[in-house]
Amino acid sequence: MKQSAKGVIICGIGGQGVVLVSNILTEGLMEMGFDVKKTEEHGMSQRNGAVNAQIKFGAKVFAPAVAKGSGDLIIAFEKAESLRWLEYLRPDGCLIVNDVEIEPVSVQAGKEKYPENLSEILRAEIADTIIINAAEAAFRMGTIRAQSMVLLGISVKKLELGSFAWTAKIRAMVPEKYQEANINAFQYGLSLV
Amino acid sequence: MAGNNKYFMMGNAALARGAYEAGVVFAAAYPGTPSTQIFENAAKYPEIYSEWATNEAVAAELAIGAQMAGVRALCSMKHFGFNVAADPIFPCVYNGVLAGLVFVVADDPGQATSSTEPDARRWGPQMRIPILEPADSQECKDFTKAAYEISERFDTPILIRLTARISHGTGIVTFAERQAVPIKPYTRNLSKNVGMSSLGKFKHARLEARVKDLAQFSDETDLNRIEWGEREIGVISNGISYQYVKEIFGDGASYLKIGFSYPLPEKKIREFAAGVRKLYIVEELDPYMEEYVKQLGIPCVGKEIIPAVNELSIDVIKEAFGVTGEKRRRLDIKAPERTPNFCAGCTHRGVYTAMKKHLKKVIACGDIGCYNLAVLPPYSVHETMQDMGGSIPTAISFWKVFQLAGRPEKPFAFIGDSTFFHSGMTGLADAVYRKANIVVFILDNRSTAMTGHQDHPGSGRMMDKTPTEPIEIDDIARGMGIKEDQIRYVDPYDLADLDNAIQEGIAADKLYFIVARRPCPLLPETRKARAGISCVVSADKCTNCKACVRQTGCPALSIAEGKAVIEREDCNGCGICAQICRFQAIETVGGLR
Ligand SMILES: Cc1ncc(C[n+]2csc(CCOP(=O)(O)OP(=O)(O)O)c2C)c(N)n1
C-alpha cells in the first residue's frame, strides 16, 4: 500500500534550532487539521552531536518515522548532515541545505575529512536542491539564531502550506526579544521560492 | 493547542497528563533517558506532589508508601532503574494496593542512550505484574487512566512499558478534566502492608489467583483488539511495531494489537490465529509474545525473520517480509562522525586532561554520567564502567587483586555527584570499612547533568527551584570516618593543582578523597555568573601546533586559516586550553577566573 502521509526530515547539530522548527511546523500542521506525528533523536546534542526530527502528516498517520525513499522534504541545517538522510528522500523529493559547514572534533583533529565540493555533488544528485546560507541571512536580520526561520520559510512554501498564519505561531513560540528577527527571517525564506 | 482540547504532545508528557486526569497526587522518579520527561511533566501540575528521588528504589518505595497511605501514585524510570527498583516492587505485587499504583519503565531498543538493550516485558511473568503498552501519545494518556482503574479493580500495582520511540514520539492528544479521587482512609492492615514469611504462602496463592483473573480481563479488554482486514496475513504486534506494520500493510492484512501484554490474551490469540492464513509476530527485542503463541501450539513466524537486536523500522520490517522498498538515493560520500564530547567549559575536561599524564600509574574505574565520555579520545582515561555506583567497589576489587598480583597501579574511582547519592555512598562505606587504599575522585558539578540537569540532595534546589540545604559529599565522607588529611579539594579549572592532587592520590597509603567542585557550565546560574568571560587567541603568538584542539577536543575551539580560533559565544573562559598552550597564545578575558 502506498503511504498517503507526507514525510519531512529535519537534521542538524544541537543548538541550531532543529527542535524549535520541528515544534513550530508540527503545531501549525495540527492546527491546519492534519493528523501529525513526530519522532526526534537528540542523542547527546548538548555535546555537539547530530540531531534530527522526522515528521509525518496527512489524513491519518501511523508511524512517525519516514521510510527510506519516501520522504518529501529534507531540511539540513548543516551541509554534511544531509548525507545521513539522503536515502530517505523520494527520487523527486526536495532537499533544502543550509550552506554552513560545522567541522566535528574528528575533522578538527585531522582524523577525518569534511567532504569537499558538497554543494555541487548535492545539486548534481538531486534536481530539486536549494542551498542557502541561512546563517548569513539571519545575521543580517539581527541574530544568527534566526537561521532556522529562513529554512522554515522555504520549507513552508515548498510543502504548499503558505495559507497558515505561521507568523503568529512563531510569535507564540520564540522569546519576545527575538520575535521580529525570527519573523523577518521567516518571511525572507518564503520570498526565496 | 488546536481547539477541541487537542494538544501536540510527547508520549512522556501525555502519560503525565493521563496521571493528572486520573487524580494522581504523588509522583516519584529518578531521571534516566528516555523516561525523564514523564516525571518532569507530572511535576508541572501543582496537584501532584513531586520531588526527584535519590534513586529508583527510593522512588518506588515512596510511591508504594503513598498508595498505602491512600493516594494514587506514579513512579517512572528507565530500564536500568527498574532493576534497582525491583526489590521493593516484588513484595508490593504480593501485597496489592489500597490506592492505584502505576510504575512506568522506558526501554531503549536501539540503545541510543543505554549500554544494554533489555526487554522489560519479561518482568511481567517474573513478578506477575500486569503490563500495558501504549502505541502513541494518545494511548499514553488513555492507557495511564485505564491503568489506575485496573490497579484498583484487581488490587495490584501495574506496569506501563514504553520504548524510546513512544516516549519521545509526539502526536495529537485530546484532553479531559481531572477526576476527583478522594483520599482513601488508611487503616492498619498487616496482611497488606507487611511482608513476613508466615504470611507469604497465603499471599502467593492469592497472587496466582489474581493472575488468572487478569488473564480473563486480558481477553475481554479493548486494550487488546483485533482489526480484520485481508486474512492472508495476520500480524500480532505491539507498541511502535504495530504502527510500522499498519503503515506497510494497511488493509492488506489483519492485526491483533496487543496493548495489555501481561498476561497475554489466550482466547483472542486463538481466535485471531484461526481467522488468518499465515500468522506473524512483529515485536521489537525479545520473542516475548512469540514464545507464548508457540507454547500454545500455534504455528507462527517471528524471530525467524524479525531481528531481536536493535530497534525495528519500516525498512527493517519490509525487508523481513520481502516487500520491496521505494527507490532511494545513495551517495558514496559519508557525513563525518560526530562523536559526543565534553561541552565547552565542562568541569570534567580539566580533570581528564590532568589524568592523561598519569595513566601508567593508575587504573581508572569509571561510572555513569557525562564523565563516562572520558573513556573516549582525546582522553582515553576510564577503563571500566558497569552500572551506577560501580566505580568505588570496582576500585576496591582492583586494589585487592592487584595487591595479590603484585601490580603497582593505583585504583582510582571517578564518580559524579548525582551518581554518588544514587548508589555511591554504600560503596564508599565499604571502602572505608575494608581500609581500601584507593583514590575516590568526586566530580561534583552540582547537578545531574547527563540527563538534563535534574536536582538531587546535593544540588541545593528543590523541584520548584526553591533552595534547600545541600548535603555536601565531603561531609558524608567525614561522617564515614575519612579524616581531614585524606580529603583534598581541587578546582577542576586548575590543571597544575589537579596534577598535584592526582600525584598525592597516587602516593597516598590510605584512602584519598578528592573533591573537584564547580557547577556545570550549562546551569542557568553558571551561565549568568560567567557571562562575558571567555578565552581569546593572540593570532601572532599561535604557531598552529593544534595542541589545544587535539588535547581538549573543546567544541568552542577550531582551526581556521592556520590559527586557533575560539567561538566566544560558546566559550565560558574555563582556561584549560590556555593552560595547555606552550606559547601563551591564549588568555582568559572578561572577568576573573
Ligand atoms: C540505574 C540508572 N538510573 C539512571 C540512569 C541514567 N543516568 C545516566 S548518568 C546519570 C546521572 C549522572 O549524573 P552525575 O553522576 O552527577 O554526573 P554528570 O552527568 O553530572 O557529570 C543518570 C541518571 C542510569 N544509567 N542507570
Side-chain angles (χ1 to χ4, degrees):
Chain A
M1 195 196 70
K2 262 251 161 271
Q3 92 188 42
S4 56
K6 288 202 167 191
V8 178
I9 293 170
I10 313 179
C11 56
I13 314 267
Q16 283 191 305
V18 169
V19 174
L20 176 66
V21 162
S22 74
N23 285 343
I24 293 174
L25 191 59
T26 46
E27 289 259 336
L29 288 165
M30 177 179 75
E31 290 179 26
M32 291 176 84
F34 290 108
D35 188 15
V36 196
K37 281 184 180 169
K38 175 172 81 159
T39 183
E40 283 171 9
E41 277 169 313
H42 294 191
M44 306 227 258
S45 50
Q46 275 170 338
R47 287 124 205 129
N48 297 278
V51 187
N52 69 74
Q54 303 181 57
I55 297 167
K56 286 239 285 280
F57 66 98
K60 167 82 188 153
V61 176
F62 292 105
V66 177
K68 288 180 181 166
S70 75
D72 294 271
L73 178 70
I74 293 178
I75 315 165
F77 281 46
E78 197 277 344
K79 208 191 281 177
E81 286 304 304
S82 65
L83 294 170
R84 281 187 227 285
W85 296 96
L86 274 193
E87 60 175 331
Y88 287 80
L89 197 61
R90 276 194 290 136
D92 57 344
C94 170
L95 174 65
I96 301 171
V97 181
N98 191 6
D99 198 1
V100 165
E101 298 184 358
I102 300 174
E103 294 188 352
V105 177
S106 58
V107 172
Q108 285 287 336
K111 295 208 183 86
E112 259 190 296
K113 275 219 153 43
Y114 195 94
E116 283 170 22
N117 304 324
L118 199 46
S119 297
E120 289 69 31
I121 294 168
L122 292 171
R123 278 203 194 94
E125 181 69 17
I126 288 152
D128 195 0
T129 296
I130 300 171
I131 300 180
I132 158 122
N133 193 329
E136 196 183 75
F139 189 71
R140 275 188 276 118
M141 315 268 165
T143 169
I144 191 164
R145 291 188 197 281
Q147 61 174 327
S148 55
M149 295 302 139
V150 178
L151 300 169
L152 178 66
I154 304 174
S155 310
V156 160
K157 206 57 176 284
K158 270 284 169 189
L159 290 166
E160 295 170 9
L161 301 169
S163 64
F164 183 71
W166 292 103
T167 49
K169 192 88 254 170
I170 294 168
R171 217 176 274 286
M173 292 179 75
V174 304
E176 206 178 330
K177 65 173 174 177
Y178 298 121
Q179 281 174 7
E180 277 326 300
N182 275 289
I183 286 167
N184 290 340
F186 172 76
Q187 247 129 18
Y188 173 71
L190 277 182
S191 74
L192 287 173
V193 193
Chain B
M1 196 190 70
N4 313 325
N5 270 328
K6 281 191 190 328
Y7 295 80
F8 196 62
M9 276 189 133
M10 191 190 265
N12 282 345
L15 195 149
R17 175 72 198 184
Y20 167 78
E21 289 180 10
V24 165
V25 167
F26 196 110
Y30 181 75
T33 317
S35 72
T36 308
Q37 301 86 359
I38 298 168
F39 179 82
E40 286 177 337
N41 280 283
K44 287 182 188 157
Y45 299 103
E47 294 88 344
I48 304 181
Y49 170 73
S50 14
E51 294 294 343
W52 287 112
T54 313
N55 68 28
E56 294 87 351
V58 174
E61 288 155 350
L62 286 164
I64 291 167
Q67 66 72 27
M68 267 186 197
V71 296
R72 288 186 167 185
L74 177 72
C75 178
S76 51
M77 60 203 84
K78 79 175 293 180
H79 57 81
F80 286 135
F82 204 83
N83 303 336
V84 177
D87 195 37
I89 299 176
F90 260 101
C92 177
V93 183
Y94 271 62
N95 290 338
V97 297
L98 173 62
L101 175 57
V102 174
F103 292 100
V104 188
V105 59
D107 275 345
D108 187 15
Q111 297 180 257
T113 56
S114 311
S115 58
T116 61
E117 196 176 36
D119 189 327
R121 294 175 299 171
R122 298 283 191 196
W123 288 111
Q126 167 74 342
M127 284 185 167
R128 315 285 200 273
I129 188 168
I131 299 182
L132 294 185
E133 289 189 76
D136 63 16
S137 292
Q138 180 69 49
E139 286 191 358
C140 280
K141 199 202 80 163
D142 295 343
F143 282 29
T144 303
K145 290 173 82 172
Y148 283 97
E149 299 303 320
I150 298 166
S151 169
E152 287 178 5
R153 175 170 158 199
F154 290 93
D155 188 10
T156 177
I158 189 164
L159 180 59
I160 297 180
R161 187 251 185 171
L162 305 176
T163 58
R165 290 282 172 196
I166 302 296
S167 278
H168 288 169
T170 317
I172 298 172
V173 178
T174 309
F175 281 13
E177 295 289 307
R178 177 172 163 92
Q179 241 174 291
V181 183
I183 299 180
K184 299 207 168 154
Y186 170 81
T187 48
R188 181 180 159 96
N189 183 345
L190 297 189
S191 88
K192 215 173 185 75
N193 296 333
V194 176
M196 237 190 220
S197 61
S198 55
L199 296 166
K201 282 201 183 61
F202 147 72
K203 285 190 186 176
H204 190 186
R206 188 177 67 182
L207 176 62
E208 297 305 334
R210 184 208 291 155
V211 171
K212 286 217 171 75
D213 295 343
L214 285 164
Q216 194 183 333
F217 175 77
S218 183
D219 266 321
E220 290 161 3
T221 176
D222 290 341
L223 296 164
N224 293 323
R225 82 173 176 251
I226 295 176
E227 298 170 6
W228 293 115
E230 288 189 29
R231 297 187 180 221
E232 197 62 31
I233 292 177
V235 185
I236 302 181
S237 198
N238 64 326
I240 195 70
S241 313
Y242 162 80
Q243 309 289 6
Y244 295 151
V245 288
K246 277 294 270 198
E247 179 159 329
I248 296 168
F249 297 112
D251 299 332
S254 295
Y255 307 89
L256 170 53
K257 178 183 179 300
I258 298 293
F260 189 91
S261 57
Y262 181 80
L264 283 162
E266 180 183 341
K267 283 202 195 92
K268 262 187 198 153
I269 290 172
R270 288 190 188 282
E271 180 197 341
F272 185 68
V276 297
R277 283 271 306 236
K278 186 141 194 198
L279 183 64
Y280 292 90
I281 318 284
V282 179
E283 57 191 322
E284 276 180 328
L285 301 179
D286 288 6
Y288 168 81
M289 298 190 293
E290 182 183 338
E291 282 170 7
Y292 180 82
V293 173
K294 285 188 169 155
Q295 179 205 314
L296 294 177
I298 300 171
C300 63
V301 175
K303 294 299 168 189
E304 294 87 349
I305 60 166
I306 303 290
V309 175
N310 206 345
E311 66 170 330
L312 297 182
S313 66
I314 296 167
D315 297 301
V316 167
I317 297 169
K318 272 186 180 168
E319 202 184 310
F321 279 88
V323 178
T324 40
E326 310 292 332
K327 274 221 183 77
R328 56 184 93 142
R329 317 217 153 239
R330 193 172 251 137
L331 280 179
D332 288 337
I333 32 172
K334 270 200 170 152
E337 281 308 312
R338 292 192 188 270
T339 40
N341 190 5
F342 293 135
C343 303
C346 179
T347 54
H348 303 327
R349 176 172 281 109
V351 172
Y352 295 105
T353 305
M355 273 304 291
K356 267 197 93 153
K357 279 198 239 156
H358 303 285
L359 291 186
K360 285 213 170 72
K361 294 185 177 156
V362 162
I363 160 102
C365 304
D367 222 304
I368 312 192
C370 292
Y371 50 96
N372 192 28
L373 292 173
V375 172
L376 304 174
Y379 309 102
S380 310
V381 172
H382 289 178
E383 296 182 49
T384 71
M385 205 290 280
Q386 283 297 311
D387 64 319
M388 286 193 84
S391 57
I392 299 175
T394 307
I396 297 173
S397 302
F398 269 99
W399 160 69
K400 194 73 224 170
V401 176
F402 275 18
Q403 238 180 15
L404 299 174
R407 288 185 63 154
E409 297 100 313
K410 182 76 174 255
F412 272 54
F414 290 91
I415 182 165
D417 46 339
S418 189
T419 301
F420 182 81
F421 285 105
H422 180 284
S423 45
M425 296 191 282
T426 42
L428 184 62
D430 253 76
V432 172
Y433 175 63
R434 291 162 191 266
K435 300 187 184 171
N437 182 10
I438 62 171
V439 177
V440 175
F441 204 121
I442 305 288
L443 301 143
D444 184 359
N445 61 3
R446 315 303 278 178
S447 185
T448 316
M450 175 96 165
T451 44
H453 300 101
Q454 291 77 23
D455 286 304
H456 61 64
S459 74
R461 286 170 306 259
M462 301 186 75
M463 196 69 204
D464 62 0
K465 300 296 163 199
T466 53
T468 182
E469 194 60 40
I471 303 173
E472 296 301 345
I473 295 176
D474 44 309
D475 285 342
I476 296 174
R478 257 181 228 105
M480 287 188 183
I482 296 173
K483 300 286 179 290
E484 255 3 279
D485 66 343
Q486 291 169 275
I487 301 177
R488 171 70 148 88
Y489 300 92
V490 63
D491 179 354
Y493 283 174
D494 185 339
L495 282 183
D497 200 34
L498 280 163
D499 193 61
N500 289 336
I502 292 162
Q503 290 190 45
E504 291 157 25
I506 294 170
D509 58 2
K510 52 185 184 249
L511 194 147
Y512 204 58
F513 196 79
I514 304 176
V515 183
R517 183 175 291 148
R518 243 185 202 280
C520 170
L522 298 186
L523 287 169
E525 307 86 277
T526 325
R527 280 183 200 265
K528 223 163 141 189
R530 298 187 68 86
I533 309 180
S534 81
C535 290
V536 289
V537 180
S538 313
D540 52 328
K541 292 189 193 157
C542 176
T543 65
N544 195 22
C545 74
K546 300 195 178 76
C548 54
V549 172
R550 291 214 171 107
Q551 288 184 41
T552 68
C554 178
L557 261 170
S558 59
I559 305 285
E561 288 155 24
K563 299 283 173 194
V565 283
I566 291 170
E567 186 61 58
R568 288 188 70 168
E569 260 205 55
D570 297 339
C571 174
N572 87 337
C574 79
I576 299 298
C577 57
Q579 294 167 68
I580 284 172
C581 180
R582 286 185 294 130
F583 306 98
Q584 284 83 46
I586 305 177
E587 62 175 338
T588 306
V589 298
L592 290 174
R593 199 166 55 79

